[in-house]
């Protein structure tokens, strides 16, 4: 039981050799990083906040399949989650009076302003929120 049969060992050696040769093949495409533009800058914290919070607030308003995830699963900090909750509440109020399209537009504006005001709202990503 401690050793493999001779044919199994031979097949394993052949497989390993084939994998090694495939990994060293000169026909492999060049790495993707080599084609990246050096002038590309990462998004700012405000852009990340706006994109992330706006997306999830609109998903929540529309009640999509993934909208029920909690704030950690959505990748939000505590501060971003507070913006999310305020945006959803504002969006629901707007939806009742002017319809869903206007509510979604409101969410984009609301979140962009709050994320800018709070510098991206990246603070406090711990699993803790003050009691209300």
């Amino acid at each position: 039981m401690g050793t493999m049969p001779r044919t199994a060992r031979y097949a394993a050696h052949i497989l390993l050799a084939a994998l090694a040769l495939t990994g060293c093949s000169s026909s492999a495409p060049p790495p993707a990083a080599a084609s990246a533009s050096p002038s590309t800058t990462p998004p700012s914290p405000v852009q990340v906040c706006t994109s992330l919070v706006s997306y999830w607030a609109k998903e929540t308003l529309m009640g999509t399949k993934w909208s029920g995830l909690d704030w950690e699963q959505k990748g939000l900090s505590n501060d971003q989650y507070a913006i999310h909750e305020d945006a959803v509440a504002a969006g629901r109020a707007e939806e009742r009076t002017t319809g869903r399209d206007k509510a979604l537009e409101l969410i984009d504006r609301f979140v962009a302003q709050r994320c800018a005001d709070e510098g991206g709202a990246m603070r406090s990503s711990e699993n803790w929120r003050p009691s209300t």
Side-chain angles (χ1 to χ4, degrees):
M1 188 161 163
T3 61
M4 291 191 300
R6 183 177 177 96
T7 55
R9 277 193 310 240
Y10 180 75
H13 287 249
I14 296 297
L15 177 60
L16 287 173
L19 289 173
L21 290 174
T22 303
C24 297
S25 170
S26 63
S27 64
S35 64
S37 171
S39 65
T40 304
T41 57
S44 72
V46 172
Q47 291 169 320
V48 170
C49 175
T50 300
S51 176
L52 188 62
V53 176
S54 182
Y55 172 82
W56 283 115
K58 291 188 283 187
E59 291 291 302
T60 300
L61 182 77
M62 294 185 296
T64 62
K65 178 180 179 180
W66 300 107
S67 65
L69 297 174
D70 68 25
W71 62 278
E72 289 178 303
Q73 292 169 318
K74 292 176 181 177
L76 303 174
S77 70
N78 286 343
D79 292 342
Q80 290 168 344
Y81 181 67
I83 295 170
H84 171 275
E85 291 297 288
D86 292 345
V88 170
R92 286 184 175 142
E94 184 73 14
E95 185 177 34
R96 285 190 293 276
T97 58
T98 61
R100 178 164 287 172
D101 289 341
K102 294 294 182 187
L104 297 174
E105 291 172 16
L106 172 79
I107 285 174
D108 282 335
R109 290 190 312 274
F110 182 96
V111 169
Q113 185 62 52
R114 287 279 300 273
C115 286
D117 291 348
E118 297 184 31
M122 300 289 201
R123 297 169 306 281
S124 185
S125 292
E126 299 170 16
N127 191 12
W128 173 84
R129 289 192 59 148
S131 59
T132 54

